[in-house]
Amino acid sequence: GTVDITVHEVKPNGHLKELDRASGGDWGGTSVDMAFKSALAEIVTEGMIEGYCHKFTGDYIELFRDFEIKKRKCGKGNSSDSFITLKIPVTFTDECQETLNTDLTTLVNKSTYKDHIFWKTDKVRIDLLTFETFFKPACDGIVKHVKELFQSPKVKGVNKILMVGGFSESNILQDVVRRAFPNCQIIVPQEAGLAVLRGAVLFGCNPKAIDSRIAKYTYGVATNVEFDPEIHMESKREIIDGEDYCTDIFDKHVEKGEELIVDEAQAERSYLPMTHQQKAISFSIYTSTEDAPFYVDYCENIGKFEVSVPVGVDDRSVNVRMIFGRTELTAEARVVKTGEIIPGQFELPEEEKI
């Protein structure tokens, strides 16, 4: 139900370099379905639609499956005065009569869709201009967002738009994009709906195809620092080993928008155990949509890992760095005293454990 947009540069060696962080919105094919559902709800009421969905789930799914087929084919070879015909389950007509005590034709004539939608027993005919309005919110959102992307100096010189995914097979969407960006070459591969799957397989066979990415989020770890009443919240004060500390501080490792070279470690950050008796340090990793969050309170915890620290030595510090691989984030710690490098064994947050 979403549209995801990335901007890449093809390098001389054929590899890809991401120019701007991935972005998008809820302008996928599902939004077209919702516009069609809203039109039906205006005619037969939302309550009747929801009741029908629960009572005749199979027929409800079949109705929208037929709509999906017409959604992809609509626009190709259709004249402006043509109609799109959908199959309507008999149960829909019967349920409408039983629930609302009137027939569908009468209900349509009382709605804003009079002279635009026509019921014929087990079929409904929708004029093309009305059918195209179901696409308008999604198409407008996509075009607006892409135009905003083109304003960025990061994507200067981009002149090709590659459309993949099931919604890209829609002729209406393709025509809207071509009209909105006449100076760009619009590329739609055959079976665009399978292109994402094929790309994933090809990427699995050649994971080095992408050299760098742009961080979509800011990444950091939760840490404690000496409490300063002038800048820290009193509620965050905690006494540890006789000292006042401020907890839940977001210590930034990577800022969103930063270029990440695949498999190359980011800058190291140094940490110390909080007490003399502490034998391990636990690092909770967070992401944020902000550039520089202060606390981790409104950030998302994506996991944690633990590192053993030496006991009985002067220098017990541990340096941590994050490594953004081809499909995952990893972290490693280096014990400064011994030089030992320990890969982070990630644990998922409790709410994500199965």
Side-chain angles (χ1 to χ4, degrees):
T2 62
V3 170
D4 301 303
I5 301 172
T6 59
V7 186
H8 288 91
E9 173 189 340
V10 181
K11 301 175 72 174
N13 62 0
H15 291 187
L16 298 178
K17 174 185 178 182
E18 196 169 72
L19 300 179
D20 202 357
R21 62 193 178 94
S23 58
D26 56 348
W27 315 303
T30 305
S31 65
V32 182
D33 298 345
M34 296 308 296
F36 172 59
K37 183 179 177 181
S38 295
L40 288 179
E42 182 180 330
I43 296 169
V44 301
T45 75
E46 187 173 339
M48 185 269 169
I49 292 290
E50 295 302 323
Y52 180 77
C53 175
H54 288 92
K55 190 174 180 180
F56 300 97
T57 305
D59 288 346
Y60 179 86
I61 292 173
E62 192 61 36
L63 168 61
F64 277 87
R65 184 178 290 133
D66 188 47
F67 177 76
E68 178 68 24
I69 294 171
K70 298 301 193 301
K71 186 171 71 177
R72 297 191 184 195
K73 291 182 178 179
C74 176
K76 190 172 185 178
N78 295 119
S79 60
S80 60
D81 59 350
S82 61
F83 287 83
I84 307 301
T85 302
L86 299 176
K87 295 178 183 177
I88 298 296
V90 174
T91 52
F92 188 89
T93 305
D94 293 344
E95 186 69 10
C96 178
Q97 181 71 47
E98 183 179 328
T99 304
L100 303 175
N101 200 31
T102 187
D103 62 273
L104 287 166
T105 300
T106 301
L107 292 170
V108 171
N109 290 336
K110 290 180 179 179
S111 73
T112 57
Y113 293 101
K114 181 183 179 182
D115 299 328
H116 298 287
I117 295 180
F118 304 91
W119 297 91
K120 301 287 184 181
T121 60
D122 64 340
K123 292 181 176 61
V124 61
R125 303 185 71 211
I126 307 172
D127 68 53
L128 182 61
L129 294 179
T130 299
F131 196 84
E132 288 178 342
T133 63
F134 302 150
F135 290 76
K136 193 174 188 317
C139 292
D140 288 352
I142 292 170
V143 168
K144 180 176 182 291
H145 186 72
V146 175
K147 284 184 175 180
E148 289 172 354
L149 281 177
F150 274 120
Q151 299 302 313
S152 171
K154 296 179 183 178
V155 300
K156 185 178 181 180
V158 173
N159 57 9
K160 291 181 175 64
I161 297 177
L162 176 64
M163 298 175 61
V164 296
F167 192 30
S168 294
E169 295 181 6
S170 164
N171 295 293
I172 292 177
L173 175 61
Q174 292 175 21
D175 290 343
V176 167
V177 172
R178 286 192 175 96
R179 289 197 302 270
F181 306 100
N183 297 323
C184 289
Q185 180 185 359
I186 312 300
I187 304 169
V188 185
Q190 287 188 336
E191 296 183 314
L194 292 176
V196 177
L197 175 60
R198 288 173 175 166
V201 173
L202 291 171
F203 181 65
C205 295
N206 181 23
K208 294 183 179 180
I210 298 179
D211 287 341
S212 67
R213 299 181 184 275
I214 302 298
K216 189 175 182 179
Y217 303 105
T218 297
Y219 293 80
V221 301
T223 188
N224 303 322
V225 299
E226 290 185 9
F227 188 83
D228 183 344
E230 293 188 4
I231 60 173
H232 295 142
M233 295 167 56
E234 183 62 33
S235 61
K236 297 292 184 181
R237 185 199 294 263
E238 188 173 323
I239 300 175
I240 303 174
D241 214 21
E243 300 289 339
D244 284 353
Y245 286 95
C246 180
T247 61
D248 297 333
I249 293 292
F250 187 101
D251 193 31
K252 183 171 64 177
H253 279 244
V254 171
E255 186 173 317
K256 73 173 185 180
E258 188 176 327
E259 183 178 10
L260 305 171
I261 306 301
V262 172
D263 284 343
E264 186 175 292
Q266 306 305 306
E268 288 187 345
R269 304 282 291 176
S270 184
Y271 302 94
L272 288 166
M274 300 300 297
T275 68
H276 296 296
Q277 297 80 22
Q278 194 173 338
K279 296 180 180 179
I281 302 177
S282 179
F283 295 95
S284 292
I285 298 182
Y286 287 83
T287 63
S288 173
T289 54
E290 298 178 22
D291 293 337
F294 195 77
Y295 296 110
V296 300
D297 294 28
Y298 300 103
C299 304
E300 182 179 358
N301 178 220
I302 61 173
K304 68 177 181 179
F305 69 99
E306 195 170 272
V307 177
S308 297
V309 294
V311 179
V313 296
D314 294 335
D315 190 353
R316 305 180 67 206
S317 59
V318 172
N319 289 351
V320 174
R321 59 184 186 175
M322 295 184 186
I323 303 167
F324 290 80
R326 302 175 183 102
T327 58
E328 63 182 357
L329 163 66
T330 58
E332 65 180 25
R334 181 172 60 86
V335 181
V336 175
K337 181 67 176 179
T338 64
E340 181 185 6
I341 295 178
I342 305 170
Q345 298 297 322
F346 271 93
E347 287 185 31
L348 289 172
E350 287 298 326
E351 61 270 18
E352 293 189 20
K353 290 182 179 179
I354 297 175

